[in-house]
Amino acid sequence: MAASERVAALRRARERQARIETATSRTLKAQASMQRAVEAKAVAIDRHDERVAAAEEAWVAEIAELVRTCRSAEAAAEILGWSARELRRVVKADRDRHTPPEPRMGDTDASC
């Protein structure tokens, strides 16, 4: 009987090892899948942020164009249902964002 018990124990050990290898393989595949999903999410967030920034830029450009067309921030604000102060703040923020800062005293320019 001792030999048959050893054979049975060896069979159980092999079956256990096969189950461990199968579970390990599934776990590693799931981990790789999760990492791909995290990376895809990061890329999607970046693309979304870029689309939002582009839409905001276009929106502010259209506001500025409306102000120029109306020749009055007050008139444009009235059309949009905003206060003139808020409209000017949005246009000024856009202008400041697109205007490079002026060099300060003591700043050196490497191109000189």
Side-chain angles (χ1 to χ4, degrees):
M1 278 283 217
S4 65
E5 289 175 8
R6 282 192 298 243
V7 170
L10 185 58
R11 183 180 44 78
R12 285 191 305 273
R14 286 184 189 138
E15 289 171 353
R16 182 173 179 263
Q17 183 63 35
R19 288 192 307 272
I20 290 171
E21 289 172 3
T22 300
T24 301
S25 175
R26 286 193 318 258
T27 302
L28 293 175
K29 286 177 184 177
Q31 180 184 18
S33 177
M34 192 217 29
Q35 287 174 340
R36 285 190 305 271
V38 168
E39 290 169 5
K41 178 182 177 185
V43 169
I45 289 170
D46 289 343
R47 287 182 185 153
H48 174 74
D49 290 347
E50 290 169 3
R51 286 192 306 265
V52 168
E56 183 179 9
E57 193 170 314
W59 171 66
V60 172
E62 292 300 330
I63 290 172
E65 179 62 26
L66 179 62
V67 170
R68 283 190 295 275
T69 302
C70 292
R71 294 185 181 161
S72 164
E74 290 78 13
E78 187 175 334
I79 290 168
L80 295 174
W82 294 7
S83 69
R85 181 180 196 174
E86 178 65 13
L87 187 131
R88 285 190 186 103
R89 186 193 65 75
V90 170
V91 172
K92 182 181 183 303
D94 180 61
R95 192 177 326 124
D96 291 347
R97 185 175 32 203
H98 292 294
T99 305
E102 294 184 20
R104 295 174 298 204
M105 295 249 331
D107 285 353
T108 58
D109 185 9
S111 63
C112 293

